[in-house]
Amino acid sequence: MPKIVNHEERKALIAKSTWNVIARDGLEGASVRSIAKEANLSLGAVRHYFNTQEELLEFAMGLVEEQVTERIMEHTKQPQPPKQLVLNMLMEFIPIGNRTIEMQVWLEYISYKLRKKELREDSVHQGMLSMMTQLNENGLLRKDINMEEETIHLHALVDGLALHILMGLVKLDENRIRLLIERELDRIFT
Amino acid sequence: MPKIVNHEERKALIAKSTWNVIARDGLEGASVRSIAKEANLSLGAVRHYFNTQEELLEFAMGLVEEQVTERIMEHTKQPQPPKQLVLNMLMEFIPIGNRTIEMQVWLEYISYKLRKKELREDSVHQGMLSMMTQLNENGLLRKDINMEEETIHLHALVDGLALHILMGLVKLDENRIRLLIERELDRIFT
DNA sequence: ATTATTTTAATACAATCGTATTAAATAAAA
DNA sequence: TTTTATTTAATACGATTGTATTAAAATAAT
């Protein structure tokens, strides 16, 4: 008999307001009050959905990983040559347009989990490993390469590129970045 | 006629205490009070050397870049084959041992400057560019490579590796990391 | 229309924050 | 020893913080 409010949607809305606050004022500026203001909600309203600030921040930051993963998986629904598929998936890491805020929050997330010492696993890296394994099992990769090394190499390159683009060091347009990564894929694909 | 206290040394000591606080509690935990406590100084003492919290934080975070640059330049004093020199310099980016804290602070620094929109230049990347140019002028690089692309590629790889090592995703020991980067250098050296 | 339950709003509280002020302590120079 | 500039310590102020409490408002089911 309550006022009908979709719980999950509302939580996501608050989370995305949290992203904006974090991107603007950092984690130290992400007070419950400032987040409520950004979301156009009262302090009590926000607290109704999240019992503590920590719970809110972890939900908001965790949602980034979830959203990125989901977006990457979308590509598998569209039939395309394996190399193009991989390339399209990897391009999802590159912060362009809206995704800039996403990566800013992700950076804060890394720092946050690092000092909480809760950073031993990473679903994205796991996904990268299983993707490479699958490519290998399908005979799409060269036989003379060290799988572990190449996975590390590829992931490092993509994340490093993403970081430098975010920092504004690299001014290449989307297409040249694509070529840069494709060249790396050519090194390991048959 | 004052009590003799080396101003620069004292500021550096406070800065390094700031690093510890940032690595432990993040930028949001880096209050003037907590920094003073970490440095075994009074609140007033810290404020004597830094007029505002912002000034202190920027000094502390900026010192990281300074220190890394200095350490990298040390290698040029020791005569060694060009490729080995470059490799040794690049390895200074990899967070091993004490350098973990350094990179944690650097990450916060990136986020900080990013939201202050003061991140258009980076002395490290500039150094990378000039290093590559110099190698090329000495005829040590292959003629058929795109200099700009290779510089971006190499820097992204090293920083990506550094980030993933910090995150605990990559468990390779120092030697294997060295080999990974060396292999990349072999691709562009004559 | 009444009831039941969720959501919002208002207010309060103790703790901590950055900053400012002022006096005390310190130690080199006179 | 006295003088003097530097450094430290103590304290205070207003603002903001996370959290808690409580009552009001809103609305779907009865």
Side-chain angles (χ1 to χ4, degrees), chain A residues 125-138:
Chain A
H125 193 68
Q126 291 299 321
M128 189 77 80
L129 283 168
S130 70
M131 184 188 79
M132 290 286 280
T133 305
Q134 202 175 326
L135 288 172
N136 198 38
E137 284 170 355
N138 289 19

Side-chain angles (χ1 to χ4, degrees), chain A residues 42-96:
Chain A
S42 72
L43 181 62
V46 172
R47 255 199 64 108
H48 178 70
Y49 294 97
F50 299 95
N51 284 319
T52 67
Q53 180 193 34
E54 193 181 6
E55 189 186 321
L56 164 54
L57 293 179
E58 293 198 353
F59 179 86
M61 294 190 291
L63 193 64
V64 170
E65 199 166 309
E66 210 170 293
Q67 185 165 302
V68 172
T69 305
E70 192 183 329
R71 210 169 50 222
I72 289 175
M73 284 311 164
E74 276 294 312
H75 287 283
T76 61
K77 294 182 181 171
Q78 204 164 347
Q80 52 190 319
K83 200 184 82 177
Q84 288 306 312
L85 172 61
V86 173
L87 190 49
N88 283 329
M89 291 167 85
L90 292 179
M91 283 300 287
E92 291 291 348
F93 290 102
I94 306 298
I96 292 175

Side-chain angles (χ1 to χ4, degrees), chain B residues 17-172:
Chain B
S17 297
T18 305
W19 293 357
N20 291 334
V21 176
I22 290 177
R24 189 194 335 116
D25 304 318
L27 216 50
E28 67 269 29
S31 68
V32 182
R33 281 177 175 82
S34 64
I35 292 167
K37 191 173 182 180
E38 174 78 25
N40 275 319
L41 291 172
S42 71
L43 181 61
V46 172
R47 256 199 65 108
H48 177 70
Y49 294 97
F50 298 97
N51 284 319
T52 67
Q53 181 193 33
E54 193 181 5
E55 188 186 322
L56 164 54
L57 292 179
E58 293 198 353
F59 179 85
M61 293 190 291
L63 193 64
V64 170
E65 199 167 310
E66 209 171 296
Q67 185 166 302
V68 172
T69 306
E70 191 182 331
R71 211 169 48 223
I72 289 174
M73 285 311 163
E74 275 295 312
H75 287 283
T76 61
K77 293 183 182 170
Q78 204 165 346
Q80 51 190 320
K83 200 184 80 177
Q84 288 307 312
L85 172 62
V86 172
L87 190 50
N88 283 330
M89 290 167 85
L90 292 179
M91 282 300 287
E92 290 292 348
F93 291 102
I94 306 299
I96 293 177
N98 307 338
R99 280 176 287 181
T100 300
I101 286 187
E102 201 176 80
M103 184 158 184
Q104 280 185 263
V105 176
W106 180 76
L107 265 191
E108 299 275 3
Y109 193 30
I110 298 302
S111 299
Y112 179 80
K113 291 215 291 187
L114 203 58
R115 56 179 184 264
K116 290 234 164 186
K117 301 183 196 296
E118 293 173 353
L119 226 152
R120 37 191 69 63
E121 56 188 48
D122 181 90
S123 70
V124 173
H125 193 67
Q126 291 299 322
M128 190 78 80
L129 282 168
S130 71
M131 183 188 78
M132 290 287 280
T133 305
Q134 202 176 326
L135 287 173
N136 198 38
E137 285 171 354
N138 289 19
L140 292 165
L141 300 185
R142 287 173 49 179
K143 300 298 174 196
D144 60 340
I145 60 172
N146 180 320
M147 284 290 291
E148 186 195 14
E149 266 189 24
E150 295 300 340
T151 307
I152 289 171
H153 188 121
L154 184 61
H155 193 191
L157 175 67
V158 172
D159 261 5
L161 269 178
L163 185 62
H164 288 175
I165 289 166
L166 181 73
M167 291 170 65
L169 301 186
V170 171
K171 291 170 196 73
L172 304 182

